[in-house]
């Protein structure tokens, strides 16, 4: 057997020696986990708030620029509405070529050129009939650049003010074609007024205004086809087509990498009248700069908290592990065979409660050990008794038969008849004792069936009453059940009820009564309750706790196995049996048997 010091060494090697470290680690984790969760949640919420703020600011910038562009488009629309209505645009107004007949040129009316001079973004203005023959133009070279076919078809189809898609020419200028329908007095006649517009300066003035030097905010204009028309970041003038996947979104806020590899936050808006995409973006580092400050503060706070938690956890770990080590020491001593050793009171309410619980547990283990030893002895006695019963029953049956014959033989001699009768009765008693012993010793294998328990009790009560007819005892059965059926083994229940009713008849005085009550009950599971009450003297109080103990009886001629067999039978039914004394005299045996087959599963 190992010594206590050896066992302590083994425990330490197996990990008990690191208990303080385990407690320390656990406490640190428990303390820091909420802090980390709150820190992450705070960082996440701050990040979302900053992103929401940036989105709001970028959206305001975007909306303000979009409003200015739309105002400019409205001015152009107004100009073309005016041109489509005045006579000069659809007749002889402006500068026409030398083939025009003399007398048709009104040199005082040069409305198209005046409009071009007032708005320098109009590179030329001209009017045409329905077959695209020139009617008038703003200046000599106005028609030197042909009108794009796709725009001409679009204007013919729309028959209203129309803007072409923007495109860039080699000089870097952004060109847009605009046109409207001419209104002739003759309703069947059509014409068009068209202008080639250089929007470069307009776009630069609108997008560049309000951008602070050094600010990473970038505004850009992109065609619907993905071509970048202009950007406030000059280094981004040669952009690739990154981000064209976002073209179908009316507006969105996303993180992405620009063509220079910088991670940015951007949003965009589609300008419906121009089929342009107006976008704005800002470097993520600048947008989330405040988060870096918050992160540094959180790290410093976390480190200070970690140090404080570690110091406190070390002290608490030592305090907690001290009583546990004392428990381990006492457990080692008990394992060495010192079963009387117990824990002494320890400091702290919880430690004292542990000591009391440990001592109580050891006391109960000692009691249980004694009971197990007794049970093992009873089991050995039962096994031995079973073998003895098998050996004794055959010769006992022969003795019983011979005594029965002897009683008949000496029937005329009262003295010998009485002696023979006494011998015969004692032989029957020994046979009953052997039968009870055999029934208690062998295992029970119940055969459950659905049955009504009242007829079984009635039959047994009538049979026992007949054997005790000289006492004139009445039996009353009161059936209060609503569910009449239960699942049980009929033969085993008969055996149990015979034992109980025999005791009840023996305990009851002459002209006494026995009450049997059948009820349904429910306590987690549904059960049938059978209460059998007599009006005898009841059980002595010191006997009640041992009533079901095998080989224990307070009757002179008892075997001590009747009620033990009853308990064994009820146990295999998954039920319970109790005995109590009535307040006004008599004993009550209460049996509970599960009412449904599913209750036993």
């Amino acid at each position: 057997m190992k010594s206590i010091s050896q066992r302590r060494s083994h425990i330490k090697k197996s990990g008990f020696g690191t208990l303080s470290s385990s407690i320390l680690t656990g406490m640190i984790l428990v303390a820091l986990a909420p802090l980390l969760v709150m820190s992450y949640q705070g960082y996440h919420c701050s990040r979302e708030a900053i992103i929401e703020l940036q989105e709001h600011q970028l959206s305001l910038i975007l909306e303000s620029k979009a409003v200015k562009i739309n105002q400019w488009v409205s001015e152009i629309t107004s100009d073309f509405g005016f041109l489509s209505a005045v006579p000069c645009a659809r007749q002889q107004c402006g500068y026409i070529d030398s083939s025009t007949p003399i007398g048709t040129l009104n040199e005082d009316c040069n409305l198209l050129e005046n409009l071009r001079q007032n708005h320098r973004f109009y590179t030329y203005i001209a009017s045409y009939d329905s077959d695209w023959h020139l009617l008038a133009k703003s200046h000599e070279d106005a028609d030197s650049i042909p009108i794009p076919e796709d725009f001409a078809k679009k204007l013919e189809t729309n028959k209203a003010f129309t803007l072409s898609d923007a495109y860039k020419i080699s000089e870097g200028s952004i060109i847009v074609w605009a046109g409207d329908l001419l209104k002739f007095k003759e309703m069947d006649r059509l014409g068009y007024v068209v202008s080639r517009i250089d929007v470069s300066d307009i776009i630069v003035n609108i997008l560049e205004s309000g951008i602070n030097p050094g600010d990473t905010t970038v505004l850009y204009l992109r065609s619907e086809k993905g071509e970048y028309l202009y950007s406030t970041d000059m280094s981004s003038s040669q952009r690739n087509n990154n981000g064209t996947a976002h073209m179908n979104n009316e507006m969105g806020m996303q993180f992405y990498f620009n063509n220079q590899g910088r991670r940015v936050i951007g949003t965009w808006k589609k300008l419906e009248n121009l089929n342009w995409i107006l976008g704005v973006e800002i470097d993520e580092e600048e947008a989330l700069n405040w988060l870096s400050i918050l992160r540094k503060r959180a790290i410093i706070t976390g480190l200070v908290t970690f140090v404080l938690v570690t110091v406190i956890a070390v002290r608490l770990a030592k305090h907690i592990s001290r009583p546990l080590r004392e428990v381990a020491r006492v457990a080692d001593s008990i394992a060495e065979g010192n079963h009387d050793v117990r824990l002494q009171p320890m400091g702290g309410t919880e430690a004292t409660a542990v000591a009391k619980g440990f001592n109580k547990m050891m006391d109960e283990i000692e009691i249980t050990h004694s009971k197990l030893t007794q049970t093992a002895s009873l089991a050995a006695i039962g096994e031995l008794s079973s073998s003895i019963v098998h050996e004794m029953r055959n010769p006992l049956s022969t003795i019983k038969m011979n005594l029965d014959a002897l009683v008949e033989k000496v029937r005329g001699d009262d003295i010998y008849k009485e002696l023979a009768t006494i011998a015969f009765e004692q032989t029957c008693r020994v046979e009953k004792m052997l039968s009870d012993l055999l029934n208690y010793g062998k295992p029970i294998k119940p055969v459950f069936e659905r049955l009504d328990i009242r007829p079984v009790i009635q039959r047994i009560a009538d049979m026992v009453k007949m054997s005790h007819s000289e006492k004139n005892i009445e039996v009353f059965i009161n059936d209060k059940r609503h569910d009449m059926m239960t699942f049980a083994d009929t033969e085993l229940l008969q055996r149990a009820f015979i034992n109980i009713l025999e005791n009840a008849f023996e305990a009851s005085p002459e002209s006494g009564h026995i009450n049997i009550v059948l009820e349904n009950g429910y306590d987690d599971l549904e059960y049938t309750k059978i209460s059998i009450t007599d009006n005898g003297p009841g059980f002595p109080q010191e006997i009640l706790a041992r009533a079901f103990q095998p080989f224990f009886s307070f009757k002179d001629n008892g075997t001590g196995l009747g009620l033990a067999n009853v308990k064994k039978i009820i146990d295999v039914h998954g039920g319970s049996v109790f005995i109590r004394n009535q307040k006004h005299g008599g004993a009550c045996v209460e049996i509970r048997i599960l009412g449904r087959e599913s209750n036993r599963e």
Side-chain angles (χ1 to χ4, degrees):
M1 181 178 291
K2 293 181 179 180
S3 65
I4 293 178
S5 59
Q6 289 175 327
R7 293 177 64 86
R8 283 182 180 174
S9 176
H10 172 71
I11 290 173
K12 186 173 182 179
K13 290 179 180 178
S14 62
F16 188 82
T18 62
L19 178 61
S20 298
S21 301
S22 301
I23 295 175
L24 175 62
T25 303
M27 293 182 66
I28 291 175
L29 291 177
V30 170
L32 292 183
L35 179 63
L36 292 175
V37 171
M38 288 188 292
S39 299
Y40 173 77
Q41 185 176 8
Y43 177 81
H44 176 75
C45 293
S46 301
R47 187 175 188 273
E48 291 299 316
I50 292 174
I51 291 175
E52 184 177 351
L53 177 62
Q54 288 294 337
E55 181 179 8
H56 178 68
Q57 292 177 344
L58 294 179
S59 297
L60 288 178
I61 295 174
L62 203 63
E63 287 296 331
S64 65
K65 302 302 181 183
V67 167
K68 291 182 179 179
I69 293 175
N70 287 330
Q71 287 177 348
W72 174 74
V73 173
S74 296
E75 292 178 7
I76 297 176
T77 305
S78 178
D79 289 345
F80 273 81
F82 170 74
L83 290 176
S84 66
V86 296
C88 294
R90 60 178 180 268
Q91 294 179 1
Q92 290 78 28
C93 179
Y95 208 74
I96 59 178
D97 58 23
S98 57
S99 62
T100 303
I102 297 175
T104 61
L105 177 61
N106 185 355
E107 296 183 357
D108 294 331
C109 179
N110 199 0
L111 178 63
L112 301 185
E113 178 61 15
N114 291 337
L115 182 62
R116 188 180 74 86
Q117 291 295 332
N118 291 333
H119 300 288
R120 302 302 298 178
F121 49 78
Y122 291 124
T123 59
Y124 89 83
I125 307 173
S127 59
Y128 301 87
D129 62 14
S130 58
D131 295 325
W132 292 98
H133 295 141
L134 181 66
L135 296 177
K137 59 183 179 179
S138 58
H139 59 284
E140 180 65 29
D141 299 327
D143 60 342
S144 61
I145 300 176
I147 300 173
E149 292 184 7
D150 56 343
F151 170 70
K153 291 180 180 179
K154 186 176 180 181
L155 180 60
E156 291 173 357
T157 302
N158 292 343
K159 295 182 179 179
F161 179 75
T162 302
L163 284 172
S164 71
D165 294 336
Y167 63 93
K168 296 176 70 173
I169 59 178
S170 58
E171 294 84 359
S173 299
I174 304 172
I175 303 300
V176 173
W177 289 85
D180 201 352
L181 195 67
L182 278 178
K183 300 175 183 178
F184 287 89
K185 292 182 179 180
E186 301 84 354
M187 298 303 296
D188 58 341
R189 293 186 60 193
L190 294 176
Y192 309 100
V193 58
V194 177
S195 176
R196 182 175 180 269
I197 305 173
D198 186 346
V199 299
S200 302
D201 292 339
I202 299 297
I203 296 301
V204 169
N205 290 335
I206 292 176
L207 297 188
E208 293 286 351
S209 62
I211 302 299
N212 297 324
D215 189 357
T216 61
T217 303
V218 175
L219 283 157
Y220 62 86
L221 195 63
R222 191 179 67 198
S223 70
E224 193 175 28
K225 296 179 180 179
E227 179 185 8
Y228 278 88
L229 303 175
Y230 182 77
S231 171
T232 57
D233 183 5
M234 297 305 295
S235 62
S236 303
S237 59
Q238 299 298 325
R239 287 177 175 266
N240 57 20
N241 288 332
N242 290 342
T244 56
H246 309 311
M247 284 182 59
N248 293 329
N249 294 338
E250 282 295 321
M251 196 149 184
M253 187 75 177
Q254 290 193 10
F255 291 80
Y256 57 91
F257 290 95
N258 63 11
N259 66 308
Q260 296 178 334
R262 297 198 309 267
R263 185 170 171 82
V264 297
I265 305 174
T267 185
W268 46 86
K269 180 180 179 65
K270 184 176 181 181
L271 304 177
E272 296 294 343
N273 292 333
L274 297 169
N275 290 329
W276 292 352
I277 302 296
L278 177 62
V280 60
E281 62 188 28
I282 185 173
D283 278 7
E284 181 184 19
E285 183 178 352
E286 178 183 347
L288 305 182
N289 181 54
W290 182 244
L291 281 180
S292 299
I293 300 174
L294 292 178
R295 191 183 301 113
K296 292 177 181 178
R297 293 180 179 178
I299 291 173
I300 294 173
T301 303
L303 290 175
V304 173
T305 305
F306 176 78
V307 172
L308 292 176
V309 168
T310 302
V311 172
I312 295 172
V314 168
R315 295 179 62 86
L316 288 177
K318 292 181 179 179
H319 180 73
I320 292 173
S321 63
R322 188 178 299 113
L324 296 179
R325 291 182 181 277
E326 179 64 16
V327 171
R329 185 191 66 78
V330 173
D332 286 340
S333 180
I334 293 173
E336 292 288 343
N338 302 319
H339 297 160
D340 296 331
V341 177
R342 295 292 184 266
L343 283 172
Q344 299 301 317
M346 295 183 287
T349 304
E350 293 79 8
T352 301
V354 169
K356 290 181 178 179
F358 181 86
N359 294 337
K360 182 179 179 181
M361 177 188 68
M362 293 308 304
D363 293 339
E364 291 179 352
I365 289 175
E366 287 292 322
I367 295 172
T368 303
H369 178 71
S370 299
K371 289 182 178 180
L372 288 175
T373 303
Q374 184 181 7
T375 302
S377 301
L378 291 175
I381 293 173
E383 185 177 352
L384 178 61
S385 299
S386 297
S387 62
I388 293 174
V389 167
H390 283 292
E391 295 295 331
M392 292 181 63
R393 290 188 73 177
N394 290 335
L396 189 62
S397 297
T398 302
I399 294 171
K400 182 180 176 183
M401 290 173 58
N402 292 333
L403 286 174
D404 189 28
L406 184 60
V407 169
E408 291 296 328
K409 188 70 175 176
V410 296
R411 186 175 293 277
D413 190 330
D414 292 338
I415 296 175
Y416 286 104
K417 178 184 176 182
E418 183 180 359
L419 294 174
T421 301
I422 292 172
F424 180 79
E425 289 176 352
Q426 292 302 315
T427 303
C428 291
R429 178 170 172 266
V430 172
E431 185 180 35
K432 183 179 182 304
M433 290 178 60
L434 293 176
S435 296
D436 289 343
L437 186 60
L438 182 63
N439 288 332
Y440 185 77
K442 67 181 181 181
I444 298 177
K445 296 181 180 180
V447 179
F448 292 104
E449 59 180 333
R450 185 175 173 85
L451 57 89
D452 183 358
I453 207 168
R454 173 167 182 163
V456 177
I457 295 177
Q458 185 71 63
R459 184 166 59 253
I460 299 302
D462 292 342
M463 182 182 69
V464 178
K465 180 180 179 181
M466 186 178 297
S467 65
H468 294 271
S469 58
E470 73 281 355
K471 299 185 72 172
N472 194 27
I473 297 173
E474 292 294 331
V475 178
F476 302 98
I477 299 179
N478 184 10
D479 194 347
K480 299 180 180 180
R481 297 173 300 161
H482 57 82
D483 185 359
M484 311 301 291
M485 307 304 291
T486 188
F487 285 86
D489 186 311
T490 306
E491 178 62 31
L492 292 178
L493 287 185
Q494 287 179 352
R495 227 192 288 171
F497 290 141
I498 287 174
N499 277 297
I500 296 172
L501 288 172
E502 282 285 355
N503 288 338
F505 271 89
E506 290 176 4
S508 298
E510 291 187 6
S511 300
H513 60 270
I514 296 174
N515 293 320
I516 302 175
V517 180
L518 306 178
E519 298 177 278
N520 291 124
Y522 187 87
D523 184 11
D524 292 335
L525 296 174
E526 186 177 349
Y527 60 85
T528 300
K529 183 170 75 173
I530 306 103
S531 300
I532 302 174
T533 307
D534 60 55
N535 63 339
F539 286 86
Q541 197 62 37
E542 65 274 8
I543 300 300
L544 283 176
R546 304 178 62 188
F548 297 106
Q549 182 176 320
F551 307 110
F552 173 79
S553 176
F554 66 96
K555 296 189 294 185
D556 294 336
N557 60 346
T559 64
L561 292 172
L563 290 178
N565 271 320
V566 170
K567 179 170 175 53
K568 186 176 180 181
I569 290 171
I570 299 305
D571 286 345
V572 299
H573 281 79
S576 56
V577 58
F578 311 94
I579 295 179
R580 65 177 182 274
N581 288 327
Q582 299 291 96
K583 291 183 180 180
H584 304 293
C588 176
V589 178
E590 181 181 302
I591 297 174
R592 295 183 180 184
I593 300 176
L594 296 180
R596 297 184 181 274
E597 185 178 18
S598 60
N599 289 344
R600 296 187 181 87
E601 296 178 355

